[in-house]
């Protein structure tokens, strides 16, 4: 019913930047929140940043001041601008969206397939 497609991951050196994108498509009436999570090997998946439909953004303490989340509601797309990347930012980054399929529907959570971000010299 809904697909989330992430892009923009890669290998960068410490201090460099990357921009992740996540586009949602399919049976979408509205999207409440779009979030970025990450999971490093051996660690639990953690919330990195999120943004609600009205534009309210929230961040994990570890990325505040370095990452910026934004959203294009017309394109059902969320972006994560990551600056001053550190080796500890290395992880698979996943997009999550909370979506309604109709006006009377409840929210459903969908996940993307993940994109690898590696920060290494």
């Amino acid at each position: 019913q809904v697909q989330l497609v992430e892009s923009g991951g890669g290998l960068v050196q410490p201090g460099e930047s990357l921009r992740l994108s996540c586009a949602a498509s399919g049976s979408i009436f509205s999207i409440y929140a779009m979030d970025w999570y990450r999971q490093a090997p051996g660690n639990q998946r953690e919330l990195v940043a999120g943004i609600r439909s009205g534009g309210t953004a929230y961040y994990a303490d570890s990325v505040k001041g370095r990452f910026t989340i934004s959203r294009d509601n017309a394109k059902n797309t969320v972006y994560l601008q990551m600056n001053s990347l550190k080796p500890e930012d290395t992880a698979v980054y996943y997009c999550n969206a909370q979506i309604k399929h109709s006006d009377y529907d409840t929210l459903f959570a969908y996940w993307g397939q993940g994109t690898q971000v590696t920060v290494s010299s």
Side-chain angles (χ1 to χ4, degrees), residues 4 13 18 22 26 31 36 40 48 53 60 69 82 90 92 95-96 99 104 121:
L4 300 181
Q13 294 188 345
L18 278 175
C22 171
I31 303 177
W36 286 99
V48 176
S53 55
I69 192 169
M82 305 185 294
T90 296
V92 178
C95 176
N96 175 278
I99 292 172
Y104 304 102
S121 54

Side-chain angles (χ1 to χ4, degrees), residues 36-59:
W36 286 99
Y37 287 75
R38 67 186 180 189
Q39 188 168 19
N43 290 355
Q44 289 188 333
R45 192 171 296 190
E46 63 175 358
L47 176 66
V48 176
I51 186 166
R52 298 194 179 101
S53 55
T56 300
Y58 38 93
Y59 299 91

Side-chain angles (χ1 to χ4, degrees), residues 52-118:
R52 298 194 179 101
S53 55
T56 300
Y58 38 93
Y59 299 91
D61 287 343
S62 58
V63 307
K64 281 181 182 176
R66 300 188 298 123
F67 291 9
T68 302
I69 192 169
S70 61
R71 177 171 169 170
D72 186 333
N73 289 330
K75 296 181 178 179
N76 290 333
T77 299
V78 64
Y79 306 95
L80 186 67
Q81 178 67 41
M82 305 185 294
N83 298 330
S84 302
L85 282 161
K86 304 175 180 180
E88 50 263 43
D89 294 317
T90 296
V92 178
Y93 284 69
Y94 297 92
C95 176
N96 175 278
Q98 297 161 36
I99 292 172
K100 294 178 76 171
H101 300 295
S102 69
D103 194 18
Y104 304 102
D105 209 352
T106 186
L107 286 171
F108 292 88
Y110 292 90
W111 291 92
Q113 80 286 355
T115 184
Q116 177 71 46
V117 172
T118 303

